[in-house]
Amino acid sequence: MSLAFIFPGQGSQAVGMGAELAEAFATAREVFQEVDDALGQGLFRLMKEGPEDQLTLTENAQPALMAVSVAVARTLEREFGVGMERAAFVAGHSLGEYSALASAGAISLADTARLLKLRGQAMQRAVPVGAGAMASLIGPKTDVALAEQAAAAGAELGVCVVANDNNQGNVVISGAKAAVDRAIEKAKELGARAIPLNVSAPFHCPLMQPAADEMAQALAEATILTPKAPVVANVTARPTNDPEAIRRLLVEQVTGRVRWRESVLWLAGEGGVTRFAEAGAGKVLSGMVKRIAPDAEAVPLNAPADLEAFAKTL
């Protein structure tokens, strides 16, 4: 049975995440302490206790979600003997790609935490609050072609592109506020439901170029090693284990489309993956996998009992 570890992105955060892991496993506590030390802030306390509005801030949510994912991965390895080398591939949704790389040993935990803190701050700085927007287009008629048609209508008023191709029936658009509003109208005409997202910036679109420039500079100085398992990159939906390619793709990812549907299709097809293990907070990606590749198994791993049960099946 070929296995892929997958790592969630922003939106999976919730107050209390990681608390059970920390209570049950010294390895998880060490991960959370290492992230706190790297950032010089009490991030784990914020994860445990909130307030929610502070945890949801991009600059906090991104390293926090990564910390939970790495806590799961390290606990599996050290407490249950299940390392990332057991996986055929790793992949993550947006910031989850950093979690995948950290878990697979390509980037140190401290460097990953600092990179994600900067990534969140840079994304927030790139566009004034209120100037950008994102919207989720959902429904049985919703696919990439419909979303691109809606985005093209919005682009008449400004930047508007498909940002996240999550799965059939769930595609996200991003761009300038007026352009996204126009795209929402068009999407409804085409038979999709459109839900404006409560986000602080228009992620994964060309308006994020200033953030991409900041990340290019930071990543140029980061040490990136060959991961223990190839990472399927968001912007290509194909695997790589080359450190320089990883560095370049992480920069492109800031403005580029998250090709999650294509990534899962590749993994379940050419990649031969039959089992997906979602390491981290929530189970959003597991739900997406079941919609994209219904014959594959998708298992969320976030509670201590999840890890123990999963390890016994290997």
Side-chain angles (χ1 to χ4, degrees):
M1 182 177 286
S2 187
L3 171 68
F5 281 101
I6 55 176
F7 298 84
Q10 205 162 334
S12 290
Q13 70 274 359
V15 173
M17 67 181 187
E20 278 188 88
L21 286 171
E23 196 171 315
F25 302 113
T27 298
R29 293 193 293 275
E30 289 166 10
V31 167
F32 297 135
Q33 186 61 56
E34 191 175 337
V35 170
D36 276 2
D37 291 346
L39 298 180
Q41 74 175 101
L43 184 62
F44 182 55
R45 183 172 181 178
L46 177 61
M47 290 157 59
K48 277 199 306 181
E49 302 173 8
E52 186 176 8
D53 63 334
Q54 290 298 305
L55 179 61
T56 304
L57 288 176
T58 301
E59 66 177 85
N60 292 327
Q62 294 198 20
L65 284 161
M66 181 276 299
V68 177
S69 287
V70 173
V72 168
R74 281 201 186 169
T75 298
L76 276 173
E77 181 171 22
R78 294 181 185 175
E79 310 280 347
F80 299 102
V82 180
M84 284 295 120
E85 64 278 354
R86 297 286 288 272
F89 303 97
V90 296
H93 191 285
S94 191
L95 82 89
E97 195 164 308
Y98 285 81
S99 306
L101 290 163
S103 297
I107 309 177
S108 74
L109 177 57
D111 280 355
T112 308
R114 287 188 286 262
L115 284 166
L116 283 174
K117 185 78 172 178
L118 173 64
R119 185 176 182 267
Q121 292 170 335
M123 285 175 154
Q124 194 60 68
R125 281 193 290 265
V127 180
V129 174
M134 298 182 77
S136 184
L137 309 184
I138 58 175
K141 291 184 178 180
T142 303
D143 58 12
V144 174
L146 181 150
E148 287 180 339
Q149 199 175 338
E156 294 172 8
L157 297 181
V159 170
C160 188
V161 299
V162 173
N164 298 2
D165 176 11
N166 289 329
N167 56 255
Q168 175 72 25
N170 180 353
V171 184
V172 176
I173 57 172
S174 179
K177 177 74 166 62
V180 170
D181 288 345
R182 168 72 68 82
I184 287 173
E185 292 174 14
K186 182 65 175 178
K188 289 176 179 175
E189 288 174 20
L190 295 169
R193 287 177 58 208
I195 302 171
L197 297 180
N198 182 22
V199 293
S200 55
F203 306 133
H204 299 292
C205 83
L207 295 175
M208 288 287 107
Q209 189 58 49
D213 294 341
E214 284 196 59
M215 291 309 297
Q217 189 171 350
L219 285 160
E221 299 168 5
T223 298
I224 301 180
L225 307 174
T226 302
K228 294 175 185 174
V231 60
V232 175
N234 283 186
V235 295
T236 61
R238 293 294 184 274
T240 184
N241 57 11
D242 175 62
E244 291 314 308
I246 289 168
R247 197 186 310 274
R248 173 176 54 79
L249 291 166
L250 287 175
V251 175
E252 292 179 15
Q253 191 218 61
V254 179
T255 57
R257 182 182 303 182
V258 176
R259 299 179 181 272
W260 188 252
R261 179 184 59 84
E262 293 174 64
S263 296
V264 173
L265 284 173
W266 187 89
L267 283 162
E270 288 181 56
V273 171
T274 54
R275 195 179 202 198
F276 292 80
E278 180 176 5
K283 51 186 178 182
V284 171
L285 296 187
S286 297
M288 289 182 187
V289 166
K290 287 173 183 175
R291 288 187 284 274
I292 299 164
D295 292 337
E297 182 187 2
V299 185
L301 305 176
N302 42 48
D306 299 338
L307 276 62
E308 187 173 359
F310 174 74
K312 285 178 179 175
T313 66
L314 298 177

